[in-house]
Amino acid sequence: MLETIPSTMSKTAGRASPHKGRPGRNPAAILKSENGDVNYFSTVVFIFIAVLLMAFILDLFSIISTKQELDHCADQMVKQIQLSGGINGETDQLFHFLCSQIEGAENISYSIDASYKSPTPSGMSRAIQLGTPFYITITGRAKLGGFWNFNLVNITVVSRGAGVSEHYWK
């Protein structure tokens, strides 16, 4: 005996539906989806994160370059103070010139820790006697902020140098 089954199957019955198991338009469902599909949203998010990471790395290199420039400034200041035997107008002129060459930092200042000779010789604002050690600290503010200079993070960059006065004061 042959029985006929009523035909209730559609044309696509037996074929896998391309939309079966896929989330709808709900953004939360798209993000939670574990399908191997690559959609436009995940691609845009990936590219955005990659661009932000590149901007951060480039900014980090500029801060490293600023640190190297401040180190060079500290070395030059140490040489100037060693040879002149203290701080005078030439020391300040050298510092202002070196600061004008540094692009990545602002509010650059210096301080010197030393034993000063008194009375101060003429032409010197502070004198350091022969063989007396001194320590210089140069500080500046650098900004880490990515493209368009958002200035998200302020970083204090510090360079230090040490030297011994090579000038004898009578």
Side-chain angles (χ1 to χ4, degrees), residues 92-112:
D92 291 331
Q93 287 176 357
L94 176 66
F95 179 72
H96 292 300
F97 171 75
L98 292 171
C99 288
S100 70
Q101 304 299 313
I102 299 173
E103 296 178 10
E106 53 190 33
N107 300 332
I108 303 172
S109 61
Y110 74 95
S111 63
I112 299 172

Side-chain angles (χ1 to χ4, degrees), residues 151-164:
N151 301 331
L152 298 175
V153 179
N154 288 323
I155 298 173
T156 302
V157 183
V158 178
S159 292
R160 293 183 173 89
V164 176

Side-chain angles (χ1 to χ4, degrees), residues 4-27:
T4 20
I5 301 175
S7 177
T8 56
M9 296 176 70
S10 68
K11 289 183 178 180
T12 60
R15 285 190 262 158
S17 172
H19 299 289
K20 184 177 182 183
R22 291 185 100 184
R25 297 254 179 212
N26 184 2

Side-chain angles (χ1 to χ4, degrees), residues 82 85 117 128-133 164-169:
Q82 279 179 333
K117 180 188 180 316
I128 303 172
Q129 189 56 272
L130 176 69
T132 304
V164 176
S165 176
E166 297 178 0
H167 194 281
Y168 176 72
W169 298 102

Side-chain angles (χ1 to χ4, degrees), residues 2-156:
L2 220 92
E3 229 178 284
T4 20
I5 301 175
S7 177
T8 56
M9 296 176 70
S10 68
K11 289 183 178 180
T12 60
R15 285 190 262 158
S17 172
H19 299 289
K20 184 177 182 183
R22 291 185 100 184
R25 297 254 179 212
N26 184 2
I30 292 172
L31 291 175
K32 291 179 183 177
S33 171
E34 293 183 12
N35 288 343
D37 300 351
V38 175
N39 56 30
Y40 293 114
F41 182 73
S42 62
T43 303
V44 168
V45 169
F46 176 75
I47 290 172
F48 180 71
I49 291 171
V51 168
L52 285 178
L53 187 62
M54 281 183 15
F56 177 75
I57 290 170
L58 290 175
D59 260 4
L60 202 56
F61 282 132
S62 72
I63 289 178
I64 291 170
S65 174
T66 300
K67 169 69 171 143
Q68 289 177 337
E69 290 173 350
L70 282 177
D71 287 342
H72 174 72
C73 180
D75 289 341
Q76 293 299 314
M77 292 291 290
V78 165
K79 288 178 186 177
Q80 168 67 25
I81 294 169
Q82 279 179 333
L83 295 176
S84 66
I87 302 158
N88 57 16
E90 292 175 358
T91 309
D92 291 331
Q93 287 176 357
L94 176 66
F95 179 72
H96 292 300
F97 171 75
L98 292 171
C99 288
S100 70
Q101 304 299 313
I102 299 173
E103 296 178 10
E106 53 190 33
N107 300 332
I108 303 172
S109 61
Y110 74 95
S111 63
I112 299 172
D113 181 24
S115 299
Y116 298 107
K117 180 188 180 316
S118 66
T120 304
S122 64
M124 300 297 287
S125 58
R126 290 180 268 170
I128 303 172
Q129 189 56 272
L130 176 69
T132 304
F134 63 91
Y135 306 94
I136 185 167
T137 303
I138 300 178
T139 59
R141 305 278 302 164
K143 294 181 179 175
L144 180 64
F147 293 125
W148 304 291
N149 293 327
F150 285 133
N151 301 331
L152 298 175
V153 179
N154 288 323
I155 298 173
T156 302

